[in-house]
């Protein structure tokens, strides 16, 4: 039995695993430990310098490498052994299709680890709150610091998101495990620190509390769901947290007041008009979507996003809360296009975050696709709806509305240039493939479409949500999963 001590990073495990595989070292003969671990092994260490470098490249599935990068960030000490055992089975055994066997104990555990890391990254993106500490007089850039306590080693993997989102300011994110710093040019990583190194508050805290009070909807309050999305462990670091107890305790009273209020005051913010004030005339078209598409090669994706926010080419913007543009890496190999935003997407300004989005997340995880590495968008950028009592019910966009919005999604395709493009639903397929596309007859891999190396058309997850018969739901879901797996075929 030999002990391998490595720096707790994916690249360190990858290099060590390659050497061990080349020597043919069995998984059961290795004890993996993080370098710097307080527990010293009872067994001797393995001198990696004596292990030969592989003679040729190992044929390791890309799906595993992407999964391993996530699993390596998990805090469980057995992650390295689990990864090595799995890659051994993939390369040395006869289990080339192991990752498709979701019932396998190792595969199931790998996916559980990866899902936990994805959730932790999502929480970090959602609950990091920067506090201003000063201004660099030489550069004129504002400086901010945030404190966060992740469950896993996700700082390095998640830092590029913040560098892109907050590129115009200098900032540091401090955590007990690792810290990251951005100066407008590059990311720098340092050792973790204690919370006392982070500022307690700043003037921006008041803005957060005002914003949270404004968007809080007592009629939609579901405490269990809220605590699932915003666990109490994060409350102590959120400036809006002190308001939660007060707002939730008053929820029933405020809901009653909303019900008793005049209908004009009960309306959604997108159609709420003060009494006696005439409805404003529609704003004129401020940008030409077709002209933006012509200039797409010279524009950044963020600039196209900004232009789309000023589009008035159709009337959907009048009643929508906000534009919902695509999100994801501009270098993504996979792009997913749905129909239009729903109620939750309209409120949050992000695609696929409602019930259909949760179903899509589950399916992508099952297939082995990392949503964080996928560009996700819609064929139409504003929510079209009608009111049914207190609810806003989705309405399908018209052919004209889809046509008018088509330049925006085409511009996204041109900037991302995905290798694989998935159209979810007939609206997306008719927008991008051809106007007379028949989804149920032509679903699957689509030939003759030059928007990507592989184009796939399948049903929209909202279709599954409408199926009440459990047997039919299982059948349709299995077929949908089969379509999504086409994105993985080499």
């Amino acid at each position: 039995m030999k002990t391998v001590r490595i720096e707790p990073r994916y690249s360190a495990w990858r290099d060590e695993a390659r050497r061990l595989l080349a020597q043919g070292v069995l998984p059961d003969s290795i004890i993996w430990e993080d370098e710097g671990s307080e527990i010293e092994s009872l067994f001797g260490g393995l001198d990696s310098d004596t292990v030969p470098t592989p003679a040729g490249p190992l044929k390791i599935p890309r799906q595993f490498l992407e999964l391993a990068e996530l699993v390596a960030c998990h805090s469980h000490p057995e992650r390295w052994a689990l990864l090595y055992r799995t890659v051994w089975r993939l390369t040395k055994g006869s289990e080339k299709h192991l990752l498709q066997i979701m019932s396998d104990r190792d595969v199931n555990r790998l996916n559980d680890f990866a899902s936990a890391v994805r959730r932790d990254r999502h929480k970090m993106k959602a609950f990091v709150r920067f506090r201003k500490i000063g201004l660099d007089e030489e550069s004129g850039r504002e400086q901010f610091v945030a404190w966060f306590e992740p469950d896993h080693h996700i700082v390095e993997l998640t830092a590029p998101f913040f560098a892109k989102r907050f590129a115009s300011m200098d900032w540091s994110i401090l955590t007990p495990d690792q810290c990251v710093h951005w100066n407008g040019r590059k990311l720098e990583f340092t050792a973790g620190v204690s919370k006392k190194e982070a500022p307690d508050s700043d003037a921006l805290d008041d803005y957060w509390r005002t914003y949270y009070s404004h968007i809080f909807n007592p009629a939609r309050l579901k405490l269990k769901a809220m605590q699932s999305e915003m666990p109490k462990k994060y409350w102590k670091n959120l400036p809006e947290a002190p308001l939660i107890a007060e707002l939730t305790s008053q929820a029933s009273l405020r809901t009653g007041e909303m019900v008793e209020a005049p209908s004009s005051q009960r309306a959604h913010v997108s159609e709420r008009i003060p009494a006696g004030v005439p409805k404003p005339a529609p704003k004129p078209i401020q940008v030409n979507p077709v002209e933006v598409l012509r200039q797409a090669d010279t524009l950044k994706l963020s600039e196209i996003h900004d232009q789309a926010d000023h589009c008035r080419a159709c009337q959907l913007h009048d009643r929508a809360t906000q534009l919902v543009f695509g999100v994801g890496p501009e270098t993504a190999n996979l792009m997913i296009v749905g129909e239009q935003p729903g109620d939750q997407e309209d409120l949050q300004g992000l695609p696929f975050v409602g019930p259909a989005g949760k179903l899509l997340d589950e399916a992508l995880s099952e297939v082995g696709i990392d949503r964080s590495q996928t560009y996700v968008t819609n064929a139409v950028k504003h929510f079209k709806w009608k009111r049914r009592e207190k609810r806003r019910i989705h309405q399908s966009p018209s052919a004209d509305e889809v046509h008018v919005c088509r330049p925006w999604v085409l511009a996204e395709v041109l900037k991302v240039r995905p290798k694989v493009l998935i159209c979810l639903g007939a609206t997306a397929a008719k927008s991008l493939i051809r106007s007379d596309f028949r989804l149920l007859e032509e679903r699957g891999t689509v030939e003759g479409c030059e928007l990507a190396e592989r184009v796939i058309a399948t049903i929209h997850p909202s279709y599954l949500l409408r199926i009440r018969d459990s047997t039919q739901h299982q059948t349709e879901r299995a077929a949908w999963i089969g379509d999504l797996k086409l994105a993985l075929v080499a």
Side-chain angles (χ1 to χ4, degrees):
M1 185 71 69
K2 298 290 185 181
T3 298
V4 176
R5 299 176 67 83
I6 61 170
E7 185 181 357
R9 297 163 58 94
Y10 165 70
S11 58
W13 172 85
R14 179 195 60 203
D15 295 343
E16 195 65 39
R18 282 174 56 85
R19 288 191 286 266
L20 295 171
L21 288 170
Q23 193 187 31
V25 179
L26 293 170
D28 291 343
S29 66
I30 307 170
I31 294 177
W32 294 85
E33 291 182 357
D34 287 346
E35 200 171 68
S37 171
E38 295 180 0
I39 303 175
E40 293 292 336
S41 174
L42 297 176
F43 302 96
L46 181 64
D47 183 3
S48 60
D49 292 338
T50 65
V51 182
T53 302
L58 293 169
K59 294 183 178 180
I60 300 175
R62 179 179 175 181
Q63 181 185 357
F64 172 79
L65 296 176
E66 293 173 349
L67 191 65
E69 189 172 8
L70 288 172
V71 173
C73 296
H74 203 279
S75 57
H76 201 291
E78 294 181 13
R79 65 194 184 281
W80 306 126
L82 175 63
L83 286 171
Y84 187 70
R85 184 166 62 248
T86 305
V87 75
W88 176 277
R89 294 173 65 186
L90 285 167
T91 57
K92 300 295 185 179
S94 57
E95 301 178 83
K96 295 182 180 180
H97 303 290
L98 173 64
L99 297 181
Q100 275 66 55
I101 306 174
M102 302 305 295
S103 59
D104 182 87
R105 186 174 182 273
D106 286 344
V107 174
N108 184 267
R109 199 173 186 202
L110 279 175
N111 281 289
D112 283 347
F113 279 13
S115 294
V117 171
R118 290 191 192 99
R119 285 194 298 271
D120 207 27
R121 294 187 69 202
H122 170 72
K123 301 302 183 189
M124 182 173 181
K125 294 174 184 178
F127 299 133
V128 161
R129 298 288 185 267
F130 287 107
R131 291 184 162 113
K132 187 176 180 179
I133 59 171
L135 179 71
D136 187 322
E137 295 183 358
E138 183 176 343
S139 66
R141 292 167 61 88
E142 293 181 312
Q143 298 177 314
F144 295 81
V145 173
W147 171 258
F148 188 71
E149 299 175 32
D151 291 328
H152 304 290
H153 310 296
I154 61 170
V155 172
E156 193 164 341
L157 194 62
T158 314
F161 166 85
F162 291 96
K164 183 176 181 180
R165 177 67 64 86
F166 303 104
S168 62
M169 66 188 202
D170 294 341
W171 50 260
S172 296
I173 300 177
L174 312 180
T175 84
D177 178 59
Q178 186 182 36
C179 302
V180 57
H181 315 274
W182 170 255
N183 62 3
R185 298 182 302 277
K186 66 177 181 178
L187 291 166
E188 180 182 353
F189 299 91
T190 58
V193 298
S194 66
K195 187 179 180 180
K196 65 182 181 180
E197 301 293 330
D200 291 331
S201 62
D202 75 347
L204 290 178
D205 286 0
D206 288 335
Y207 289 105
W208 272 110
R209 284 188 280 268
T210 301
Y211 169 75
Y212 188 79
S213 298
H214 179 70
I215 65 170
F216 181 79
N217 187 342
R220 292 189 175 188
L221 176 63
K222 294 181 180 179
L223 281 174
K224 290 185 178 179
M226 185 189 75
Q227 290 184 12
S228 174
E229 181 62 25
M230 186 193 292
K232 287 189 174 182
K233 65 167 284 186
Y234 300 107
W235 291 17
K236 62 181 180 294
N237 297 320
L238 299 177
E240 65 267 32
L243 297 174
I244 295 176
E246 177 185 353
L247 292 173
T248 54
S249 65
Q250 298 176 358
S252 59
L253 176 61
R254 292 180 62 189
T255 301
E257 292 174 348
M258 290 169 62
V259 172
E260 297 299 325
S263 59
S264 63
Q265 294 180 29
R266 291 204 306 269
H268 183 264
V269 65
S270 62
E271 62 174 356
R272 188 180 300 150
I273 302 172
V277 178
K279 184 176 181 178
K283 297 179 182 178
I285 297 175
Q286 297 183 14
V287 296
N288 184 338
V290 176
E291 187 60 33
V292 174
L293 177 58
R294 290 196 187 103
Q295 301 175 14
D297 286 341
T298 64
L299 297 173
K300 296 180 180 179
L301 189 58
S302 59
E303 292 174 326
I304 296 174
H305 180 182
D306 292 341
Q307 294 271 35
D309 202 23
H310 294 88
C311 180
R312 304 291 182 262
C314 74
Q315 299 302 310
L316 293 186
H317 71 276
D318 275 345
R319 299 181 70 222
T321 305
Q322 59 190 311
L323 172 85
V324 180
F325 206 70
V327 297
E330 189 169 343
T331 57
N333 289 325
L334 173 61
M335 181 173 180
I336 297 176
V337 181
E339 181 191 77
Q340 68 162 355
D343 179 73
Q344 286 300 309
E345 289 79 6
D346 175 68
L347 295 174
Q348 298 184 42
L350 297 170
F352 284 97
V353 293
K358 291 180 181 178
L359 190 59
L360 178 63
D361 285 347
E362 293 173 1
L364 293 179
S365 178
E366 181 176 335
V367 170
I369 295 173
D370 183 357
R371 174 165 170 170
S372 68
Q373 298 303 311
T374 303
Y375 189 90
V376 183
T377 190
N378 283 298
V380 175
K381 306 304 183 187
H382 288 101
F383 181 34
K384 183 177 182 180
W385 56 277
K386 61 182 178 181
R387 183 169 292 283
R388 182 179 296 169
E389 296 178 349
K390 296 180 182 179
R391 298 175 60 202
R392 297 191 301 166
I393 305 300
H394 161 276
Q395 282 187 300
S396 296
S398 67
D400 286 343
E401 289 161 344
V402 174
H403 176 73
V404 168
C405 210
R406 187 169 183 262
W408 296 117
V409 69
L410 282 177
E412 291 177 288
V413 174
L414 289 175
K415 298 307 295 183
V416 177
R417 296 191 181 278
K419 293 182 179 179
V420 181
L421 173 66
I422 300 179
C423 295
L424 298 179
T427 297
K430 290 180 178 180
S431 173
L432 291 176
I433 300 173
R434 63 176 197 277
S435 60
D436 62 346
F437 190 85
R438 296 167 297 178
L439 180 64
L440 296 183
E441 298 178 24
E442 302 180 73
R443 66 186 291 178
T445 303
V446 179
E447 302 296 336
C449 184
E450 299 180 354
L451 293 177
E453 294 177 13
R454 186 181 312 134
V455 177
I456 299 163
T458 186
I459 60 173
H460 195 281
S462 62
Y463 169 71
L464 295 175
L465 294 174
R466 295 192 294 269
I467 298 177
R468 300 304 180 190
D469 182 77
S470 59
T471 301
Q472 182 188 1
H473 184 278
Q474 292 176 3
T475 301
E476 293 291 347
R477 188 181 186 280
W480 182 49
I481 293 294
D483 289 342
L484 295 178
K485 286 183 178 179
L486 295 173
L488 302 176
V489 178

